[in-house]
Amino acid sequence: MSSPVTTKPFETTGPGKQVLEITDLKVSFPGLFKTVQAVRSIDLNIGVGEIHGLVGESGSGKSITAMSCLGLLPDSAVVEGSVKVTGHEINGTPEKQLARLRGGGAAMIFQNPMKALNPFFSVGQQMFDVIRCHRDLSKNEIRAEAEKALQAVQLPDPHLALKKYPHQMSGGQLQRVVIAMALACRPRLLIADEPTTALDVTVQAQIITLLRALARDHDLAILFITHDLGVVASLCDRVSVMYAGEVVESGSVGDLFANPSHPYTRKLMSTVPKLGLGEQSLDFIPGQVPDMSSPPAGCAFNPRCDMATDACLQPANKVLVVSKDTDVSGKHWAACHHVTGKKPSSETALSETLEEHNA
Amino acid sequence: MSHLDQPADLLVVNKLHKTFTTKNGVMTAIDNLSFDVKAGETVALVGESGCGKSTVATCLLGLQSSDSGEIVVEGRNLLADSKAQGKSLGRDLGIVFQNPYASLNPKMKIKAIIAEPLKTAFRLRGVELQQRIIELLAHVGLGEEHMDRYPHEFSGGQRQRIAIARALAMESKLLILDEPTAALDVSVQAQVLQLLKQLQSENGLSYLFISHDLATVEFLAQRVLVMYLGRIVEAGTVAQVFKSPRHPYTRTLLDSVPSIDPARRDELKTLGGEIPSPLNRPVGCHFAPRCPRASDRCHKDVPQEITEQGHRFSCHHPINAAEE
C-alpha cells in the first residue's frame, strides 16, 4: 500500500479559509449519578473541497461531533470549545441564527434516508420547503432549482421524482434525494453520517463516485462519518480515527493506510475481512468500547491494547509519524506512547507543524 | 465435521416459488429456486436488496407460505407436513434477523429474552437456566451485568449479539443468518464472525448466510449463491465464484466493493441503473438492462443454466477465465 496517493492535494485559498474548524471540542452529558463524556477534546479542520473521513466504532463520539457542527445537540449536552463553520461560531449561537446556517452554510445527511424524509409529503414538497426557507426565489425558480439539484445527483427523470412519495423510491434513490436536498441550498460543508451504511454495495459505489465528483466540481467540503475503512480509502482525502471521544490518529488517507501507527488503527484495519484473500484469520479487538462515564486513565485504548505498558496510564501526546514512503510527515500524527515515528523535539514543534498544516 | 467424505444434505430446497399478489399485479419474489446445504457447511446467499434473499429465509422458516416447491430438512418435506414445519421452526432451523431493533421485545429484560427458548425447549429452570444464560451471553461478548437490562439500553451491535445468543440457545443444526453483521462495528463484526466459525467447527452447525457484504461471505462461507431478482444467476464454491466469476452480475458486485487500499480507489466501478421492480421483471435475462455484455438475445431468451465442475451460472455471454 505504498503506491503514490491518488487524492487531490488539499489547497486552501488562504489562512482562515477553513470550512470547518473544531478546536478543543468537549461534549458531555451530565446525569443524576454520572456524567458521560461523549467527546473529550477534539481538534479537526476541513478545507475547501476536502473530504475528511471520521472513523471509529459506535460509541466513539463520531455522531456527537457531527451533531455539534450544526448545533443539533440536545439541551442536556454541555459543550465546551469552539466549532466554526465557514468562520461562524456554532457554540452558544441562538437557535434563530443557527437555523439560517443549517442548510445554507452546512447541511447534513443521515444514515437512513427512509427516516430522513416525511412519508406524508411528496419528495417535491419537501425539497421546495427547504429551498424556500433558505433562498429568496419564486415558485417556478424553486421548482427549477429542485430539478437541477436532482439532476446533479444523477437521479433519472427529476420532474417525475418530485411527484413521488418516499415509499415509491428505493433506498439508493432516496439517499440521492436527501443529498440533492442538502445541496440545493449550496452549502459549503456537507456532513454525512454513515450515508452508505444502509445501501447495497452497487449503490454505495454510485454514492461514493457522486460525492467525489461534488467535492471536486463544487468545492464542497465533506465530513464523512463511517466505520467502513474501505469507503474511507475510496473516498476521503484525510482521515481521523476516533476512539473514546478523542482523535487518536490523523493523516492523509495515503499515509495513514500505508503506515497505520496507532495500535487501535492497526487493529481496526486487521479486523476488516478483505476480499480476494481466500482463507484468512480475522483479528479482533478484545473487550468493549469503554463506558464513557468513567473512561480509562491515560490512553483510553490501554485496557484493550496488546502493546500497553505502565506508560500508557499517562495521557499520550500527539507524535508525528515519519515514514520512508512519504515526505508529508507533518500531516500524519498519532497519539500513542509507542509510535514508531520521530518524536517532535518539543511540544511546540508539533503544534507549529500542525498549525502550518491547518493554515 | 465428522462426515468429511460424504456430508449429508441437511437442507434441500427444490424449485421453491413464491409470488405476492399486489393491487399492481403479481410480484415474483422467488423464481424456481433450488439449492442445498450440507451438514457443517456455510452457504452464502448474496445479492442486492430486493432480490429475494430475505423472502427465502422467511419461506424456509415457514413464516410465509410458499406457492410451490419443496423444502426438505433431514429427509422431511416441510411443505407437505405443516406439523413438521412447526416443529422444525423450533428445533432444526434457527434464525438471526437483520434488524436487532425490531427482533427483540422492548418490554423484556435480556435474561427473559434468552430464557424463553431455554424454558420451552429445554425445560431449564433456576440455577441451571441462569448459568446457561450467562454462558450464552459470554459467547457473544456480553457480561452477567447485562442480564437485567432492557434492549433499549444496548447499542445496535450489542442487540444483535443478544439476538445471536437467543438463536444459539436453541442449539439448532441449521442457523439462518439474515445479514447478522450488517449492523455491527467492524471490530465487533470480526468477533461475531470468528464466533460463528468457532461454533460451527465445535458443534458441526450449518449456516445459510444471507449477506450483501462479499468480504464477510468470503470469510465465512464455503459455497455462494448469487441471486438477482428472484433467480440464482451463479452458484459455486467461494473460490470459483470470487476468483473467476462467470456471470457479469457477479463481476459487477465484486467490483463495487471499495478496497481498503487508497491507491486502488480508481478501480471502483459503478453500475448504471437500479435493480428493476420485481413487479415488472425484464423478459429474458433479468440483468440484461444493466449488463455491459448484453446482446439482443439476452433481452429475449432466458439463459439456460450451465454447469462446469459444480460451478453453475445462467448467462448467454459468460465471462471466460482468459478475460480475467
Side-chain angles (χ1 to χ4, degrees):
Chain A
M1 288 202 272
S2 56
S3 6
V5 193
T6 54
T7 55
K8 193 170 74 93
F10 138 54
E11 290 163 0
T12 44
T13 42
K17 288 283 178 173
Q18 298 288 339
V19 180
L20 177 67
E21 285 177 274
I22 299 181
T23 320
D24 199 17
L25 176 72
K26 290 177 186 142
V27 182
S28 56
F29 294 90
L32 214 50
F33 304 107
K34 55 187 184 181
T35 298
V36 176
Q37 303 165 34
V39 174
R40 307 184 296 155
S41 187
I42 275 195
D43 297 290
L44 197 127
N45 294 282
I46 304 182
V48 178
E50 189 189 13
I51 308 182
H52 195 117
L54 198 56
V55 192
E57 288 174 87
S58 38
S60 61
K62 302 181 304 248
S63 293
I64 295 293
T65 307
M67 297 292 212
S68 64
C69 295
L70 287 177
L72 288 174
L73 290 171
D75 292 339
S76 60
V78 176
V79 188
E80 292 166 61
S82 147
V83 178
K84 282 183 181 166
V85 173
T86 61
H88 301 278
E89 178 63 49
I90 300 285
N91 284 354
T93 306
E95 194 64 18
K96 244 184 178 169
Q97 286 172 39
L98 278 181
R100 289 182 58 84
L101 197 72
R102 290 181 198 138
M108 187 155 180
I109 51 179
F110 297 92
Q111 179 170 353
N112 192 342
M114 284 91 167
K115 286 183 189 161
L117 292 168
N118 188 331
F120 286 102
F121 294 97
S122 71
V123 164
Q125 279 170 290
Q126 300 187 53
M127 287 196 75
F128 301 156
D129 283 348
V130 171
I131 301 171
R132 194 179 303 120
C133 279
H134 290 280
R135 296 171 68 180
D136 193 18
L137 297 173
S138 76
K139 244 182 176 171
N140 285 334
E141 284 169 326
I142 287 176
R143 173 173 285 275
E145 202 59 37
E147 283 189 22
K148 224 165 73 189
L150 289 177
Q151 247 158 20
V153 294
Q154 292 148 30
L155 202 76
D157 304 323
H159 57 286
L160 288 180
L162 286 175
K163 287 188 193 137
K164 284 189 182 169
Y165 286 82
H167 73 271
Q168 293 171 306
M169 301 175 103
S170 72
Q173 287 175 327
L174 284 181
Q175 194 59 289
R176 269 178 277 190
V177 167
V178 175
I179 294 174
M181 205 183 259
L183 296 179
C185 302
R186 309 224 178 103
R188 309 287 299 140
L189 173 70
L190 180 68
I191 297 163
D193 192 355
E194 309 231 18
T196 62
T197 309
L199 306 178
D200 278 316
V201 272
T202 49
V203 183
Q204 172 173 283
Q206 290 171 3
I207 300 286
I208 288 175
T209 318
L210 171 69
L211 289 177
R212 261 199 253 163
L214 288 170
R216 189 182 57 230
D217 303 338
H218 300 281
D219 274 339
L220 182 70
I222 302 177
L223 176 63
F224 194 93
I225 294 167
T226 182
H227 61 257
D228 188 334
L229 293 169
V231 174
V232 172
S234 307
L235 177 71
C236 300
D237 300 318
R238 259 186 92 80
V239 53
S240 295
V241 181
M242 266 190 97
Y243 186 78
E246 288 169 327
V247 175
V248 295
E249 184 167 3
S250 179
S252 79
V253 165
D255 288 348
L256 193 127
F257 278 78
N259 191 15
S261 297
H262 197 283
Y264 178 65
T265 315
R266 280 205 293 272
K267 275 280 188 192
L268 211 53
M269 286 184 181
S270 60
T271 57
V272 188
K274 289 152 204 89
L275 198 59
L277 290 184
E279 276 293 307
Q280 51 185 318
S281 67
L282 274 190
D283 209 354
F284 60 82
I285 310 177
Q288 290 162 43
V289 178
D291 177 0
M292 291 315 291
S293 56
S294 54
C299 169
F301 189 55
N302 81 66
R304 304 171 78 187
C305 182
D306 44 20
M307 291 174 78
T309 57
D310 286 348
C312 300
L313 296 172
Q314 301 300 320
N317 291 323
K318 292 171 183 175
V319 176
L320 290 175
V321 178
V322 184
S323 69
K324 54 184 186 305
D325 298 325
T326 49
D327 54 356
V328 282
S329 47
K331 297 177 183 179
H332 183 191
W333 59 262
C336 175
H337 291 288
H338 305 284
V339 160
T340 50
K342 263 186 210 163
K343 296 214 169 197
S345 49
S346 68
E347 191 47 24
T348 42
L350 170 67
S351 52
E352 265 169 29
T353 333
L354 290 172
E355 264 163 31
E356 227 168 76
H357 157 62
N358 294 339
Chain B
M1 195 159 61
S2 52
H3 311 291
L4 259 181
D5 340 344
Q6 197 84 61
D9 281 337
L10 188 64
L11 169 76
V12 179
V13 175
N14 198 9
K15 296 211 169 123
L16 190 69
H17 202 80
K18 173 72 188 169
T19 55
F20 294 98
T21 310
T22 70
K23 64 177 180 188
N24 297 320
V26 176
M27 184 181 112
T28 310
I30 309 176
D31 190 354
N32 285 319
L33 209 70
S34 300
F35 65 91
D36 56 79
V37 181
K38 295 187 172 37
E41 82 168 339
T42 303
V43 175
L45 195 57
V46 302
E48 289 172 272
S49 50
C51 77
K53 301 186 301 268
S54 295
T55 310
V56 172
T58 50
C59 282
L60 287 181
L61 288 166
L63 297 176
Q64 242 165 39
S65 62
S66 36
D67 299 356
S68 62
E70 292 177 331
I71 299 171
V72 183
V73 177
E74 290 186 311
R76 282 174 291 126
N77 187 349
L78 298 189
L79 294 186
D81 182 358
S82 59
K83 253 187 184 168
Q85 185 169 6
K87 198 177 162 213
S88 189
L89 178 62
R91 282 293 180 92
D92 295 334
L93 304 175
I95 172 98
V96 177
F97 288 103
Q98 185 171 351
N99 185 350
Y101 288 87
S103 68
L104 300 179
N105 188 337
K107 288 188 162 184
M108 282 166 86
K109 284 182 179 173
I110 301 313
K111 65 176 177 193
I113 289 175
I114 297 175
E116 205 170 24
L118 293 172
K119 279 183 187 164
T120 51
F122 299 103
R123 310 242 163 252
L124 292 185
R125 294 288 185 277
V127 185
E128 263 183 323
L129 178 66
Q130 194 84 355
Q131 273 171 348
R132 185 80 183 115
I133 296 171
I134 294 170
E135 205 179 293
L136 285 163
L137 282 175
H139 268 322
V140 294
L142 295 173
E144 208 179 324
E145 71 272 18
H146 297 115
M147 280 180 34
D148 281 313
R149 297 194 193 163
Y150 287 94
H152 76 265
E153 296 175 71
F154 292 91
S155 69
Q158 287 172 318
R159 283 180 205 219
Q160 192 60 302
R161 289 192 257 171
I162 294 161
I164 291 171
R166 180 177 59 181
L168 293 174
M170 288 307 290
E171 297 172 11
S172 314
K173 286 172 191 158
L174 177 71
L175 279 191
I176 297 170
L177 311 170
D178 191 355
E179 310 237 17
T181 61
L184 305 190
D185 272 317
V186 276
S187 61
V188 183
Q189 167 180 293
Q191 284 179 18
V192 171
L193 290 173
Q194 292 281 25
L195 171 76
L196 289 169
K197 237 184 180 176
Q198 181 202 332
L199 289 164
Q200 183 166 43
S201 60
E202 282 172 4
N203 308 327
L205 287 177
S206 299
Y207 298 135
L208 179 65
F209 181 54
I210 300 174
S211 178
H212 64 256
D213 185 345
L214 300 179
T216 57
V217 166
E218 192 183 32
F219 176 76
L220 197 66
Q222 283 89 49
R223 285 196 294 142
V224 190
L225 313 165
V226 182
M227 248 182 116
Y228 190 76
L229 273 184
R231 286 183 195 155
I232 290 176
V233 295
E234 184 161 3
T237 65
V238 167
Q240 283 170 336
V241 175
F242 283 21
K243 288 278 176 338
S244 50
R246 304 300 298 273
H247 200 286
Y249 178 61
T250 314
R251 178 76 267 164
T252 314
L253 273 186
L254 289 165
D255 285 340
S256 310
V257 179
S259 166
I260 197 170
D261 181 357
R264 288 175 56 195
R265 62 166 55 178
D266 294 327
E267 290 171 27
L268 188 73
K269 299 220 176 55
T270 53
L271 180 67
E274 302 256 337
I275 191 164
S277 159
L279 274 172
N280 192 13
R281 301 193 301 170
V283 221
C285 174
H286 291 159
F287 188 57
R290 299 168 84 188
C291 181
R293 301 165 78 92
S295 66
D296 287 349
R297 192 176 160 211
C298 302
H299 293 282
K300 285 182 206 136
D301 304 332
V302 178
Q304 290 301 309
E305 192 171 82
I306 308 166
T307 308
E308 283 176 13
Q309 293 158 351
H311 188 175
R312 299 191 281 154
F313 50 93
S314 312
C315 180
H316 290 303
H317 310 285
I319 305 170
N320 294 320
E323 290 174 53
E324 282 293 306

